[in-house]
Amino acid sequence: MKNKILNRLKRAICGVGAIIVCFSLFSFTSVDHPKNDTLVNNSFKLRTIIIDAGHGVKPDNAPPGHYSRGASGSFSSERNVTLAIALKLQKAIEKDLDGVNAVLTRTTEDDVSFERRAQIANENKGNLFISIHCNSLADKVVRQRVGTRRGRAVYKSVRVPDRSGKGALMLVYGLHRSREEQNAIKNNKIEDDSDLNGDGLDPNDPVVIILTDAYMRKFRKQSVKIANLISTEFVDTDGRRSEGLREQGIYVLCHAAMPSVLVETGYINNPDDEEYLNSEAGQNEIVNSIVRAIKTYKTDVEQLAQ
């Protein structure tokens, strides 16, 4: 088995030079990809996509874990919008992409912990992880005049809603959480490499460490690729505003052993975005753009495997 890993390591080392390893701390732009990816098996197919509907209502009997209530608008909640979009996206993927299975991390309003979301993704051998969210801005502090005292104006600091955010945003996991991504890869079977599956391998073996690092870099490159494709669809096809790509230390992204992106579909505390996110037309437009991006991504990664 060690010989098999060594052989794969040689191929990995040859491919590492072609992998983009330097990204901006806060934003990314589209990158050109090599024609050959030595870390992808010739038989690789995009078979399973994990769709993660962000947040939810924490059940009374919820097991220990990290939960988050999500954002709210004037008449709607993030947990409801994300689930509606995720359910539509699952149907669209299985309808429009032959042979691709879409797995949801939650199908009801009940929340699922961050740990369980990543576990579902890895247990189902996902090839791509897409987390659906709604963005929101925190209240801002402003100085307001409240009266006059002894001929001088009196001010006080008050918190007011900040509704200036508008448009979509793509997030990929932060480089400062790379070790967690490496551990996820080591502990979960890689679909296109049956030897790197965590069974009987020494996680401290230099061979395993280098090969795992190569996979991590490949997954990050592909995460940036799908994020760019989705953002481009939102802007060029739908005419929406996009804040581009940023990196952030998000648990579910760095613990999923696969390319992963979090899609902030809009600012739910912005009146215009909230109307859009809750409308059938808006949700369908978001879903269709994501599906088009996945189709392009699927074609590209499968061609690289040939």
Side-chain angles (χ1 to χ4, degrees):
M1 177 161 176
K2 190 67 169 288
N3 288 335
K4 291 182 179 179
I5 296 178
L6 286 171
N7 289 334
R8 292 182 184 277
L9 176 58
K10 292 176 182 178
R11 297 200 304 272
I13 292 173
C14 292
V16 165
I19 296 174
I20 303 300
V21 297
C22 296
F23 298 96
S24 168
L25 180 60
F26 294 107
S27 62
F28 304 88
T29 56
S30 298
V31 296
D32 294 329
H33 302 286
K35 294 182 178 180
N36 297 309
D37 190 337
T38 59
L39 292 179
V40 179
N41 186 284
N42 287 339
S43 62
F44 174 80
K45 296 292 182 183
L46 182 65
R47 298 186 181 94
T48 303
I49 298 174
I50 310 299
I51 304 171
D52 177 50
H55 306 288
V57 178
K58 184 178 179 180
D60 294 334
N61 60 345
H66 295 88
Y67 298 84
S68 177
R69 62 182 298 176
S72 297
S74 62
F75 64 87
S76 64
S77 298
E78 179 177 10
R79 60 178 179 266
N80 297 324
V81 172
T82 58
L83 181 58
I85 293 174
L87 290 168
K88 288 182 172 68
L89 182 57
Q90 181 190 40
K91 291 181 179 178
I93 287 173
E94 295 186 341
K95 175 178 178 291
D96 296 341
L97 288 103
D98 292 338
V100 177
N101 180 39
V103 177
L104 290 166
T105 58
R106 72 177 177 99
T107 57
T108 69
E109 70 171 11
D110 288 344
D111 201 2
V112 177
S113 70
F114 299 158
E115 295 88 346
R116 180 57 186 154
R117 292 171 189 269
Q119 186 180 19
I120 290 171
N122 294 326
E123 286 177 348
N124 284 276
K125 304 294 187 294
N127 304 123
L128 181 62
F129 184 91
I130 299 177
S131 189
I132 305 296
H133 285 254
C134 298
N135 217 338
S136 180
L137 292 178
D139 292 346
K140 58 184 178 181
V141 178
V142 299
R143 296 276 290 171
Q144 288 186 349
R145 182 172 177 172
V146 295
T148 304
R149 185 178 182 181
R150 296 179 181 178
R152 301 180 64 180
V154 177
Y155 294 86
K156 71 173 183 179
S157 297
V158 297
R159 300 181 68 86
V160 298
D162 185 352
R163 309 190 192 282
S164 62
K166 188 176 181 64
L169 170 67
M170 309 298 127
L171 300 176
V172 297
Y173 73 88
L175 287 172
H176 62 288
R177 301 192 74 162
S178 296
R179 185 170 298 277
E180 292 163 271
E181 173 74 0
Q182 290 172 338
N183 290 336
I185 293 171
K186 290 176 184 177
N187 294 327
N188 293 279
K189 179 181 177 180
I190 302 303
E191 185 70 16
D192 60 358
D193 192 332
S194 60
D195 289 335
L196 188 61
N197 58 19
D199 296 331
L201 297 181
D202 179 2
N204 297 316
D205 188 324
V207 172
V208 176
I209 292 173
I210 295 173
L211 188 54
T212 300
D213 184 65
Y215 267 100
M216 182 192 70
R217 295 178 187 277
K218 183 191 74 168
F219 288 165
R220 183 172 175 81
K221 177 184 68 175
Q222 292 178 343
S223 297
V224 172
K225 179 180 181 64
I226 184 62
N228 271 315
L229 289 170
I230 295 173
S231 182
T232 298
E233 287 290 343
F234 285 161
V235 174
D236 292 352
T237 304
D238 303 333
R240 299 188 65 209
R241 181 176 182 270
S242 175
E243 297 180 346
L245 277 68
R246 298 178 188 171
E247 69 168 27
Q248 193 165 320
I250 300 172
Y251 186 99
V252 292
L253 297 186
C254 63
H255 283 78
M258 63 202 71
S260 308
V261 61
L262 188 150
V263 181
E264 296 281 11
T265 54
Y267 283 82
I268 198 169
N269 70 334
N270 175 291
D272 293 336
D273 270 13
E274 184 178 17
E275 290 284 350
Y276 179 83
L277 293 171
N278 281 273
S279 68
E280 283 293 313
Q283 291 180 4
N284 289 334
E285 198 167 77
I286 291 169
V287 166
N288 291 337
S289 284
I290 294 175
V291 170
R292 284 192 299 269
I294 293 173
K295 285 181 177 179
T296 302
Y297 174 86
K298 181 176 185 294
T299 298
D300 288 352
V301 296
E302 290 182 355
Q303 284 179 347
L304 285 173
Q306 294 177 0

